[in-house]
C-alpha cells in the first residue's frame, strides 16, 4: 500500500516557475494578490499560477502569461540589463507570447484601418485570417478551435491567442465613423465564426475578452441572435451595455476605468477602487 500511495502522490506534480533576479536592485513579483520582494541575485519558486507581474525599477510592469502543464518547469531570469530571459520547458513559446505577439498584433492596426476605409470586407477577412494562421504557427497551435482532448494549458493558450487577435480587429471595427453596412457585416462574420459558441460560458479573464463583449453588446442590434443578460453589480451610465456582461466582465469594466484613472491621477479613481473592493472583492 505504501508504494501504491507513493506512486500516486509522485504523479501529482505541480508546474513550477522560478523567477531569478540578476539585476543590481530588488524587484517585486506579484502572484495573484500576493507581492513577493526579490533581492538582487535571489530567486523564488512559484507553483499553480497562470499569470504573474514583475515590477522592475524604472521599467514598465511586465505581465507574464503562463501556459504550463503540471509536469513542466520554466525559468524566467531578469538579466542585469533588465532583459527577460526564458529557459526550460516551453521557453520559446513563452518568449513569443509575452515578448512578441502583442507587438505583431498591434502592428496590424494600420492595415485594418486602411482596409476598412476601403469597405473591402473580403480583403479584411483574408488579411486578418492569414495573420491568424501566422501567429498560430508561432504559438505551436494547429488551429484555434478548442477540443475536448486539449490539455488545460492549450485551451487557455488558444483563448488568449484568439482574443488578442480579435481585440485589435474589434478596436478598428468599433469606430463611430465606420460605414454601418460594413461594420454590420464585419461584426457578424467574426461573431458567428469565433465568438458565438463562447457566449453561453463567456468569461473575462483579461481585458481582451471585456473589449470584445463590450463591442458585441454595443452593436447587438446587428446580430441575428439574442445575448444573455446578467444582474448589474454596480449601476453606472453604461448599464445598457453592462447588462450583457457576466459578473467577471463587469469587474473588468471597473478595473479598466480604475487603471486609467490611476495612471492619469483622475479625480474619481477612489470610487472605482471602492467598487472593486466592496463589490468584486479586489484589493
Amino acid at each position: 500500500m505504501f508504494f501504491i500511495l507513493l506512486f500516486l502522490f509522485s504523479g501529482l506534480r505541480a508546474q513550477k516557475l522560478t523567477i531569478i533576479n540578476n539585476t543590481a536592485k530588488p524587484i517585486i513579483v506579484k502572484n495573484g494578490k500576493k507581492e513577493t520582494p526579490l533581492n538582487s541575485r535571489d530567486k523564488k519558486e512559484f507553483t499553480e499560477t497562470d499569470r504573474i507581474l514583475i515590477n522592475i525599477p524604472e521599467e514598465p510592469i511586465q505581465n507574464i502569461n503562463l501556459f504550463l502543464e503540471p509536469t513542466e518547469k520554466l525559468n524566467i531570469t531578469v538579466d542585469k540589463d533588465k532583459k527577460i530571459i526564458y529557459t526550460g520547458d516551453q521557453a520559446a513559446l513563452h518568449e513569443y507570447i509575452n515578448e512578441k505577439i502583442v507587438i505583431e498584433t498591434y502592428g496590424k492596426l494600420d492595415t485594418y484601418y486602411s482596409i476598412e476605409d476601403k469597405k473591402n470586407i473580403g480583403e479584411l477577412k483574408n488579411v486578418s485570417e492569414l495573420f491568424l494562421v501566422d501567429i498560430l504557427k508561432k504559438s505551436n497551435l494547429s488551429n484555434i478551435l478548442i477540443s475536448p482532448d486539449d490539455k488545460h494549458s492549450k485551451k487557455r493558450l488558444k483563448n488568449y491567442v484568439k482574443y488578442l487577435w480579435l481585440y485589435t480587429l474589434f478596436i478598428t471595427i468599433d469606430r463611430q465613423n465606420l460605414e454601418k453596412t460594413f461594420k454590420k457585416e464585419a461584426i457578424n462574420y467574426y461573431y458567428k465564426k469565433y465568438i458565438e459558441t463562447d457566449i453561453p460560458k463567456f468569461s473575462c479573464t483579461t481585458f481582451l475578452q471585456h473589449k470584445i463583449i463590450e463591442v458585441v453588446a454595443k452593436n447587438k442590434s446587428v446580430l441575428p441572435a439574442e445575448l444573455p443578460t446578467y444582474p448589474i453589480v454596480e449601476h453606472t451610465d453604461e448599464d445598457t451595455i453592462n447588462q450583457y456582461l457576466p459578473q467577471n466582465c463587469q469587474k473588468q469594466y471597473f478595473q479598466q476605468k480604475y487603471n486609467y484613472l490611476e495612471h492619469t491621477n483622475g479625480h474619481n479613481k477612489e470610487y472605482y477602487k471602492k467598487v472593486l473592493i466592496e463589490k468584486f472583492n479586489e484589493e
Side-chain angles (χ1 to χ4, degrees):
M1 179 62 72
F2 171 79
F3 290 106
I4 293 174
L5 290 173
L6 181 63
F7 173 79
L8 289 174
F9 282 106
S10 68
L12 298 176
R13 299 170 60 190
Q15 48 103 317
K16 186 168 71 175
L17 169 71
T18 303
I19 307 292
I20 304 163
N21 180 16
N22 278 349
T23 70
K25 297 181 179 179
I27 64 174
I28 295 174
V29 180
K30 186 173 182 180
N31 179 24
K33 296 179 181 180
K34 184 178 180 181
E35 292 187 349
T36 303
L38 202 58
N39 292 325
S40 177
R41 308 303 172 187
D42 279 353
K43 65 181 180 179
K44 174 72 176 178
E45 290 184 357
F46 299 86
T47 59
E48 300 303 319
T49 182
D50 293 335
R51 180 170 170 264
I52 61 164
L53 301 177
I54 302 179
N55 193 344
I56 306 169
E58 302 174 0
E59 293 289 326
I61 293 176
Q62 297 283 332
N63 182 0
I64 308 291
N65 291 288
L66 300 165
F67 304 95
L68 295 171
E69 283 302 307
T71 58
E72 294 179 328
K73 300 177 182 179
L74 180 70
N75 302 318
I76 296 179
T77 302
V78 184
D79 209 357
K80 58 184 179 181
D81 60 359
K82 300 179 182 179
K83 179 181 178 182
I84 292 183
I85 300 172
Y86 300 81
T87 55
D89 297 323
Q90 306 286 353
L93 169 66
H94 284 85
E95 180 180 3
Y96 176 69
I97 291 295
N98 292 297
E99 309 294 331
K100 299 175 183 177
I101 191 173
V102 171
I103 296 172
E104 291 182 6
T105 306
Y106 275 78
K108 285 291 181 181
L109 281 171
D110 287 343
T111 301
Y112 295 154
Y113 282 130
S114 176
I115 295 170
E116 291 162 4
D117 288 342
K118 295 184 292 183
K119 299 185 287 243
N120 191 330
I121 190 67
E123 185 179 359
L124 182 65
K125 293 176 186 178
N126 291 337
V127 169
S128 64
E129 296 204 1
L130 281 173
F131 177 56
L132 175 60
V133 170
D134 181 56
I135 59 177
L136 285 175
K137 182 178 179 180
K138 293 175 181 177
S139 304
N140 298 332
L141 296 172
S142 58
N143 61 71
I144 206 69
L145 300 176
I146 291 178
S147 163
D149 297 329
D150 287 339
K151 294 181 179 179
H152 176 67
S153 65
K154 180 168 282 190
K155 291 178 181 178
R156 290 182 50 254
L157 179 60
K158 285 183 175 181
N159 267 328
Y160 179 79
V161 171
K162 179 172 77 170
Y163 281 99
L164 178 61
W165 170 72
L166 285 170
Y167 178 75
T168 46
L169 276 163
F170 274 58
I171 287 175
T172 61
I173 293 170
D174 194 35
R175 290 180 288 163
Q176 287 187 349
N177 63 343
L178 192 62
E179 198 268 329
K180 291 183 179 179
T181 302
F182 179 89
K183 178 184 282 192
K184 176 180 179 180
E185 192 171 356
I187 290 175
N188 267 276
Y189 175 76
Y190 293 105
Y191 176 81
K192 291 291 290 183
K193 190 167 183 179
Y194 296 104
I195 302 169
E196 187 173 35
T197 56
D198 291 347
I199 290 298
K201 55 184 185 300
F202 202 89
S203 176
C204 294
T205 54
T206 69
F207 71 93
L208 300 173
Q209 290 98 335
H210 171 260
K211 180 61 178 179
I212 303 304
I213 196 66
E214 181 186 53
V215 174
V216 167
K218 285 165 61 176
N219 295 278
K220 66 176 291 291
S221 62
V222 307
L223 297 174
E226 288 294 319
L227 295 176
T229 57
Y230 301 88
I232 297 292
V233 177
E234 172 76 6
H235 289 283
T236 69
D237 293 338
E238 297 188 43
D239 282 359
T240 54
I241 294 172
N242 287 344
Q243 66 177 315
Y244 299 107
L245 277 60
Q247 182 172 322
N248 61 1
C249 294
Q250 292 182 41
K251 182 181 81 171
Q252 281 292 332
Y253 165 83
F254 286 95
Q255 188 68 63
Q256 297 311 309
K257 292 284 188 181
Y258 174 73
N259 289 349
Y260 174 76
L261 293 170
E262 172 73 0
H263 180 70
T264 60
N265 198 27
H267 71 281
N268 57 343
K269 67 178 181 179
E270 292 305 319
Y271 160 72
Y272 291 97
K273 183 177 182 180
K274 182 180 178 182
V275 171
L276 286 167
I277 294 172
E278 294 182 356
K279 299 295 180 72
F280 297 101
N281 196 31
E282 287 293 308
E283 296 180 1

